């Protein structure tokens, strides 16, 4: 029997009966009870499971499920005849195998990337973003990229060597029995060593983190999405305004904006986050202010799974970077307490401790996840657009702001309003991590899938 075409296949999947009408406790009821879901959420989860299976069938390398979809899949697999015979063989005309994660950092990273690609392909295939309640931005509960940035062996060996040498240094020189002047000299040497080792560890972390960001930075996105990620709501909103102005949908009227036309909204093609609510609310020929326009932004069109993951990575707290400075400071404070107890002058030691703390904090800030993630992401986007001087005015604007449109007469009227709401770069802190999940493959092969968001109407985008 020949395989059905995608449209026919989807119809077959959509209408496939998971519930046995003769059963007093059908599939959906069991799924609801086992997971303590509402009947509405259960129905939605089953619908998303159908879509997941469709993606597994049409994508060359399969798809990766969310935790909720995986629960539906697990239960369906227990209905062996229904799943393997009625569903796979007679409906799909192929076997969809379940491969649980093997665990480990590399495996988690692979599955994370696969999951993000699945979300992007979902958007392309079904013309809408997957529902966040069932398809969260990340399959991990804390929504964190599941990768250890530090090389564990290198980090442990470096710290161990520093600790051993520090103990030998302190014991060999009888550091706490030395005179005040000698201690200040010896402590300065220890501070220099601590700064050098901290710098080496942070450089090592930075190189590995850059590789993660390179892999995570999406291939397809809109100019509005990258503007939101790097610079926040105002830059994304301003990018959307320029897009509509460029498409002659709006025009400037002093400091306000006038909707010149109200074209038909196509949800599958239109990616401008301002377009839907603006054209629904404002009649053609009517005006709106800059602040009023902010209320028309559809935030779901500014979201991108990969950018959300990078933002989550930027929140991670790097406790490891405080270990080496902590050892150095502990020795300094111990001597400080010793001097105070013996009523000795400690002013110079306080100055040394303060100087070291300042340098350590500067290194910590320069190599924080927050700074590195956004700086590297910005560099990637700048390199893709010739540092803001490419042929794409929208992409240039996301990087340079009003400087990118200063030479265009039709945009000059925007600059005063835009500059008064000049966005600052997004910089966030804290974070979490965790988790592993499953994947599917048809015919027994495993792999990932690729994809991305469609272009932003006329709102530019990444290639």
């Amino acid at each position: 029997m020949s395989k059905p075409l995608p449209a026919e296949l989807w119809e077959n999947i959509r209408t496939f009966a998971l519930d046995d009408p003769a059963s007093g406790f059908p599939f959906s009821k069991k799924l609801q009870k086992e997971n303590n879901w509402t009947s509405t959420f259960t129905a939605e989860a089953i619908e998303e499971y159908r879509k997941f299976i469709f993606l597994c069938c049409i994508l060359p390398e399969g798809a990766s499920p969310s935790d909720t979809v995986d629960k539906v899949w697990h239960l369906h697999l227990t209905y062996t005849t229904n799943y393997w015979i009625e569903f796979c063989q007679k409906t799909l005309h192929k076997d969809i195998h379940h491969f649980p994660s093997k665990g480990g950092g590399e495996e988690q990273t692979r599955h994370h990337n696969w999951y993000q690609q699945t979300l992007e392909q979902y958007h392309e295939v079904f013309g809408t973003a997957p529902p966040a309640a069932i398809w969260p931005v990340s399959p991990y509960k804390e929504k964190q990229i599941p990768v250890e940035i530090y090389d564990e062996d290198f980090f442990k060996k470096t710290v161990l060597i520093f600790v051993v040498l520090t103990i030998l240094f302190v014991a060999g020189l009888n550091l706490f029995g030395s005179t005040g002047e000698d201690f200040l000299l010896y402590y300065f040497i220890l501070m220099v060593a601590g700064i050098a080792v901290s710098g080496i560890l942070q450089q090592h972390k930075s190189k590995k983190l850059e590789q993660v960001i390179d892999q995570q930075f999406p291939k397809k996105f809109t100019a509005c999405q990258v503007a939101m990620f790097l610079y926040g709501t105002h830059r994304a909103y301003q990018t959307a305004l320029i897009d509509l102005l460029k498409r002659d949908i709006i025009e400037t009227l002093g400091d306000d904006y006038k909707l010149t036309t109200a074209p038909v909204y196509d949800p599958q093609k239109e990616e401008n986050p301002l377009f839907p609510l603006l054209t629904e609310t404002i009649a053609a020929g009517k005006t709106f202010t800059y602040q009023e326009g902010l209320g028309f932004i559809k935030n779901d069109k500014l979201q991108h799974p990969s950018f959300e993951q990078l933002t989550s990575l930027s929140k991670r707290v790097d406790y490891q970077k405080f270990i080496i400075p902590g050892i150095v400071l502990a020795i300094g404070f111990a001597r400080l307490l010793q001097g105070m107890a013996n009523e000795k002058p400690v002013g110079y030691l306080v100055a040394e401790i303060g100087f070291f703390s300042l340098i350590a904090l500067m290194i910590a800030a320069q190599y924080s996840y927050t700074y590195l993630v956004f700086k590297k992401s910005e560099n990637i986007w700048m390199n893709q657009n010739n540092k803001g001087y490419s042929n794409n005015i929208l992409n240039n604007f996301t990087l340079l702001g009003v400087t990118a449109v200063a030479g265009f007469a039709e945009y000059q009227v925007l600059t005063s309003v835009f500059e008064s709401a000049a966005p600052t770069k997004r910089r966030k802190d804290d974070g979490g991590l965790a988790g592993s999940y499953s994947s599917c493959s048809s015919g027994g092969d495993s792999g990932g899938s690729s994809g991305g968001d469609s272009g932003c109407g006329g709102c530019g985008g990444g290639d």
Side-chain angles (χ1 to χ4, degrees), residues 52 63 71 76 86 90 102 118 139 161 177 187 190 196 223 225 285 288 292 300 314 373-375 388 395 411 418 421:
F52 162 72
K71 285 182 170 64
H76 196 190
E86 301 298 328
K90 296 183 179 180
K102 297 176 182 178
T118 298
I161 291 171
Y187 190 61
L190 186 61
Q225 287 171 335
F288 62 97
E292 287 173 340
D300 61 327
S314 76
V373 167
F374 283 103
K375 184 64 176 177
N395 291 354
Y411 299 130
F418 281 12

Side-chain angles (χ1 to χ4, degrees), residues 96 140 335 356:
I96 306 295
Y140 301 96
R335 177 67 175 198
F356 177 78

Side-chain angles (χ1 to χ4, degrees), residues 145-381:
I145 293 177
V147 62
E148 291 301 324
I149 302 300
Y150 287 98
D151 182 281
E152 187 175 357
D153 289 338
F154 178 80
F155 181 80
K156 286 182 177 179
K157 287 178 181 177
T158 303
V159 172
L160 180 60
I161 291 171
F162 182 80
V163 169
V164 170
L165 292 179
T166 299
I167 292 173
L168 293 175
F169 182 77
V170 172
L173 295 173
N174 188 21
L175 199 60
F176 289 97
S178 61
T179 64
E181 291 183 359
D182 287 342
F183 182 88
L184 290 175
L185 174 61
Y186 298 149
Y187 190 61
F188 181 78
I189 295 173
L190 186 61
M191 288 193 310
V192 172
I195 290 171
V197 174
S198 292
I200 290 172
L201 288 175
Q202 293 307 304
Q203 278 281 353
H204 186 265
K205 179 191 80 172
S206 175
K207 290 179 181 178
K208 191 171 182 182
L209 184 60
E210 286 185 0
Q211 294 175 356
V212 173
I213 296 169
D214 278 329
Q215 294 173 357
Q216 180 64 22
F217 201 87
K219 296 291 186 294
K220 294 183 179 180
F221 50 88
T222 70
C224 300
Q225 287 171 335
V226 73
M228 178 67 181
F229 167 60
L230 290 175
Y231 302 105
T233 304
H234 279 278
R235 180 63 62 83
Y237 169 52
Q238 293 172 3
T239 303
L241 283 173
I242 287 184
D243 172 48
L244 296 183
L245 183 64
K246 185 170 176 280
R247 294 158 60 187
D248 295 323
I249 295 174
I250 64 171
E251 63 181 26
T252 57
L253 195 65
D255 287 341
D256 296 335
Y257 310 93
K258 177 181 177 182
L259 186 66
T260 57
T261 61
V264 177
Y265 171 55
D266 185 346
Q268 295 189 12
K269 295 181 180 180
E270 181 60 61
E271 291 293 343
N272 188 301
L274 186 58
F275 186 100
L277 292 181
L278 176 65
T279 54
E280 288 176 11
T281 308
I282 303 295
K286 299 297 183 180
T287 62
F288 62 97
T289 66
Y290 182 93
Q291 290 300 323
E292 287 173 340
L294 276 172
F296 299 135
I297 288 287
K298 289 198 70 174
N299 289 326
D300 61 327
K301 289 188 175 293
L302 293 179
Q303 296 172 353
H304 189 288
S306 294
F307 287 142
E308 292 300 316
Q309 282 297 306
L310 286 172
T311 299
S312 181
L313 178 61
S314 76
K315 299 177 183 179
R316 183 177 292 186
V317 179
D318 184 5
Y319 296 106
Q320 292 98 320
K321 68 185 176 186
F322 298 114
I323 293 177
I324 300 299
I327 293 171
V328 177
L329 288 174
I331 294 172
F333 281 117
R335 177 67 175 198
L336 181 63
L337 293 175
Q338 181 188 32
M340 293 174 64
N342 295 327
E343 298 183 350
K344 300 291 185 179
V346 295
Y348 287 115
L349 178 57
V350 170
E352 277 195 335
I353 291 174
F355 174 76
F356 177 78
S357 299
L358 178 62
I359 298 298
L361 287 174
M362 290 174 62
I363 293 175
Q366 187 70 19
Y367 289 97
S368 69
Y369 283 105
T370 302
Y371 178 81
L372 291 175
V373 167
F374 283 103
K375 184 64 176 177
K376 174 61 178 178
S377 298
E378 185 178 54
N379 286 341
I380 292 173
W381 186 229

